Each structure stands twice: as C-alpha cells, then as structure tokens.
Amino acid sequence: DAKTTQPTSMDCAEGRAANLPCNHSTISGNEYVYWYRQIHSQGPQYIIHGLKNNETNEMASLIITEDRKSSTLILPHATLRDTAVYYCIVRVANTGANSKLTFGKGITLSVRP
Amino acid sequence: KAGVTQTPRYLIKTRGQQVTLSCSPISGHRSVSWYQQTPGQGLQFLFEYFSETQRNKGNFPGRFSGRQFSNSRSEMNVSTLELGDSALYLCASSRTSGAYEQFFGPGTRLTVL
C-alpha cells in the first residue's frame, strides 16, 4: 500500500471549516484514499473514501487532486467533538483484496471553543 | 444494529501468562481484523480472518495467534506475555474481506506487569 504523509497537528475554531491535508505521491491507479479518525480512547471510525472524484457524505468532504497525489478532508463546521487523530490511508479495496489498513501517525486536530 | 463488541474491556496479566481476547463482529459481517495500538508504534495490523481462514498476517511473532468461528466471532491469543505486549487491542469487522468500510470495536486494554 502507498505511504501517506500528514502534518503532525493543526487546530481550528469551533464552527469553522477544518481542512486536513494528506500527501500520497506514490498512490497506484487502483488504490483508494480513506480517512478514519480516532477520538481519544475509542476505536477508529471510518469517515469517507474516494478514488478520483470528490466525495461528500454526512460527516465530511474529500477533495482529491487531479493527479491523485494529494487530498484534503474537509469538516465543514467543526465542533469540539471533532477533536481527534485523523488518519489518511491508501489501499486497494475490492473483492479479493484483504482488509489490512496501514495506519501512519495521523494528524491531531484540536478544535478550540 | 449492534456494533462490534470486544471482551474483556480491561485486563491485567503478568509476564509469562497467556491471554485470550474476544471480538464479536456486526451481524452479517464475515471479516474480522485485529490491530495492536501502542504509544510508540501506533496502530499495527495483526491479522485478518474471513470465513474462518486467516487471510493476511502482520509482522508479529508467533506468540500472537487467532481464530474465527463459524458465527464469525473471533478470538486472538497471546502466549508467554511480555511487558511490551501492553497495548490496546482493537478488532474491526466488515462485510467481506477488502470491503470499503470497516467498523472498529472499543478495544481491550491489556496491561502486562
């Protein structure tokens, strides 16, 4: 699986958008970009994934650059409960692939009141 | 529907002992993966079971083993415990191996004295 690079930490004000960047310059054509987050002392939680088109769900938006070498997770209106470690992961996902997720160090998002 | 459950939630053992942890996946999910999380190494993949067969294995010594039952419940076993085995052990379930979304349980906190 391709490796990802994320800043160590960032903060944002409550109610503002949080834009979390991720670099994955060695991503392969059949690898998806995934985002998970881990709130303190809980198991990781799936947020969103995408291949090349931008994606949006009830939690966040995922913007992937045209060359697919980087992406940005956007939390449109951050709340204090969004304070967590956010992991950007790339992996193949299709029937026949395995479920292994390779977690890096992630980025710690602190939302301030 | 019920999420992934792990038992016990907390466990204290001494060096040399063995331990068995249990994971019950979401109903209908047939893939269960295990991860170890420590402050130093972060989240590391242990192994995945799908339809009672080990599908993939991480880089851990043979003291770490697992199995999956016909109802998809999974257990992992660590023999001859070492101090360095103290960690949060997480399991994740998904409908199939390689599925897009995985659901993590709350984890078992193992302390080895």
Side-chain angles (χ1 to χ4, degrees):
Chain A
D1 292 334
K3 187 173 171 138
T4 63
T5 304
Q6 301 176 256
T8 302
S9 63
M10 67 176 292
D11 65 1
C12 75
E14 190 176 20
R16 304 298 295 269
N19 298 302
L20 286 69
C22 179
N23 286 321
H24 31 79
S25 58
T26 60
I27 191 169
S28 300
N30 62 348
E31 287 182 315
Y32 288 70
V33 179
Y34 288 78
W35 284 83
Y36 279 77
R37 73 178 182 184
Q38 187 174 24
I39 296 170
H40 184 62
S41 297
Q42 297 182 22
Q45 176 190 22
Y46 165 85
I47 300 173
I48 198 168
H49 76 276
L51 183 62
K52 50 185 174 182
N53 297 322
N54 297 338
E55 302 287 346
T56 295
N57 63 20
E58 64 279 3
M59 289 183 67
S61 294
L62 174 60
I63 308 298
I64 302 173
T65 58
E66 193 168 342
D67 63 7
R68 302 210 322 123
K69 292 185 176 181
S70 65
S71 60
T72 301
L73 179 74
I74 301 173
L75 307 179
H77 306 287
T79 71
L80 298 179
R81 288 176 293 181
D82 291 323
T83 292
V85 178
Y86 288 76
Y87 297 97
C88 171
I89 300 166
V90 294
R91 65 177 275 260
V92 175
N94 53 51
T95 301
N98 61 61
S99 294
K100 177 182 176 182
L101 295 171
T102 301
F103 289 87
K105 296 187 184 304
I107 177 173
T108 299
L109 173 67
S110 300
V111 180
R112 61 180 187 275
Chain B
K1 57 184 176 182
V4 178
T5 58
Q6 293 187 244
T7 57
R9 292 294 310 280
Y10 301 92
L11 204 50
I12 298 176
K13 292 286 188 178
T14 57
R15 279 183 301 173
Q17 288 187 308
Q18 74 163 14
V19 67
T20 299
L21 312 181
S22 179
C23 172
S24 292
I26 292 171
S27 178
H29 286 195
R30 294 164 58 201
S31 170
V32 174
S33 299
W34 288 90
Y35 292 82
Q36 181 197 66
Q37 186 171 29
T38 61
Q41 299 299 317
L43 275 155
Q44 293 187 289
F45 174 80
L46 279 157
F47 29 64
E48 178 198 1
Y49 285 87
F50 177 70
S51 294
E52 302 177 64
T53 301
Q54 187 179 87
R55 190 172 178 85
N56 196 12
K57 189 176 189 307
N59 189 26
F60 279 82
R63 299 186 297 108
F64 292 82
S65 63
R67 60 177 175 170
Q68 187 179 34
F69 302 94
S70 58
N71 62 357
S72 294
R73 189 177 70 84
S74 177
E75 290 180 346
M76 68 162 282
N77 183 276
V78 188
S79 62
T80 320
L81 283 166
E82 301 176 359
L83 296 179
D85 297 332
S86 294
L88 180 67
Y89 290 88
L90 293 152
C91 80
S93 80
S94 58
R95 287 194 176 279
T96 63
S97 185
Y100 294 120
E101 187 173 356
Q102 296 183 45
F103 298 82
F104 282 79
T108 294
R109 173 74 62 183
L110 171 65
T111 301
V112 181
L113 302 176

